[in-house]
Amino acid sequence: EIEGSIYSIDQNLWCRVIENGDLDDIKNPTKENHFLWTRYNANCNDERTLSLGFMNGLPVSINGVFFKLKDLISELNNIGKILQIGRFNGLEDTPLGLKNHEVREAPAAEIIHKAKSYLESAILTQTELRLKLSLDYRWTELVVNGNWYSLEKNSIDAAIKLLNQPLNGVVHLHLSNKNVFPAALETDKALDFFTLEDEINQSKSNFSYGEYYHLNSIHNKIRN
């Protein structure tokens, strides 16, 4: 808290959250002085490339250099804030059903989320992606409502850990003003034609017509 401030401000390693004051009225536009980490600077129009490496679904390296997670988050925050990446303006649900207006800054979170989503889309099937999306959403609800140690949350942890196991690779990103664009991907577990072509050709004689087009067995072979 800043003495005399009209805002309520919370922050941790991941995020800075601003609420109250003139933000209580959603008709009022956000202003540059609401932000601190991503406040405008003369270098915000720069562009850069970045390669983010993942192991079992967790970010572990930047441009080939390995970091502890907390140090990786700090490094990505420093990179992203220069380009004003990670600004969020939304309404938070409350137990009373009221919508609380919040402005957030989370540069590292946006970079990691965009990169990992791209990696997931290459490796997980459509049904697995839908399952993980629902698990991620429910996990967030439980944690926000204080159910960190619940059996349901621990069960979701176990499922997400399994879905994360094949998520290994490097995502190449193009960063520009307020934008994270996944440009390319390196992984040997992608379910794309380039990766699957040899497996399909080698397996034709072992599959029925229906199984050949379903490809579930080949999918699992590639990722295991």
Side-chain angles (χ1 to χ4, degrees):
E1 291 286 357
I2 301 174
E3 186 175 353
S5 173
I6 63 173
Y7 303 107
S8 172
I9 301 171
D10 299 296
Q11 70 178 47
N12 59 26
L13 178 64
W14 280 107
C15 185
R16 180 174 179 268
V17 182
I18 311 98
E19 58 186 340
N20 302 133
D22 55 351
L23 290 173
D24 283 341
D25 188 344
I26 61 175
K27 294 191 297 294
N28 293 328
T30 58
K31 303 173 184 176
E32 196 62 31
N33 65 2
H34 290 141
F35 301 98
L36 179 64
W37 293 1
T38 62
R39 188 167 294 175
Y40 176 81
N41 63 76
N43 296 318
C44 72
N45 291 320
D46 289 349
E47 297 183 5
R48 64 180 66 193
T49 58
L50 181 148
S51 298
L52 192 58
F54 288 85
M55 186 176 297
N56 296 330
L58 288 176
V60 294
S61 67
I62 301 173
N63 296 332
V65 179
F66 285 81
F67 291 83
K68 292 181 178 179
L69 182 58
K70 66 181 181 65
D71 297 327
L72 183 141
I73 295 167
S74 295
E75 183 68 16
L76 290 179
N77 276 332
N78 289 332
I79 294 171
K81 69 183 183 182
I82 296 173
L83 299 171
Q84 297 185 311
I85 288 169
R87 288 186 172 191
F88 300 90
N89 181 23
L91 299 172
E92 179 191 32
D93 287 302
T94 69
L96 297 177
L98 299 172
K99 303 285 186 174
N100 183 45
H101 187 203
E102 290 187 347
V103 173
R104 300 182 180 92
E105 300 176 278
E110 180 171 5
I111 294 171
I112 292 170
H113 180 69
K114 290 282 182 67
K116 186 178 179 183
S117 295
Y118 192 59
L119 183 64
E120 287 176 342
S121 71
I123 295 175
L124 300 181
T125 66
Q126 290 184 12
T127 54
E128 290 163 350
L129 285 168
R130 286 196 294 269
L131 172 62
K132 189 172 186 300
L133 182 63
S134 66
L135 291 173
D136 289 343
Y137 187 85
R138 181 56 182 158
W139 187 96
T140 303
E141 286 184 321
L142 290 167
V143 172
V144 168
N145 291 324
N147 294 298
W148 185 268
Y149 297 105
S150 68
L151 177 59
E152 183 181 359
K153 186 264 182 186
N154 290 335
S155 300
I156 294 174
D157 279 343
I160 290 177
K161 184 177 181 180
L162 285 173
L163 288 164
N164 273 327
Q165 283 182 356
L167 300 183
N168 302 304
V170 177
V171 182
H172 301 288
L173 303 166
H174 180 257
L175 308 181
S176 58
N177 186 24
K178 300 178 183 176
N179 185 56
V180 179
F181 180 77
L185 175 63
E186 294 180 48
T187 179
D188 59 359
K189 298 184 181 299
L191 300 181
D192 63 335
F193 184 80
F194 183 83
T195 305
L196 289 169
E197 183 179 15
D198 288 342
E199 292 291 337
I200 292 171
N201 290 334
Q202 292 173 15
S203 303
K204 281 181 180 178
S205 61
N206 298 323
F207 284 82
S208 70
Y209 186 85
E211 289 170 328
Y212 172 68
Y213 282 99
H214 199 237
L215 296 178
N216 275 348
S217 296
I218 297 179
H219 290 168
N220 294 326
K221 182 179 180 181
I222 286 290
R223 295 177 302 174
N224 290 329

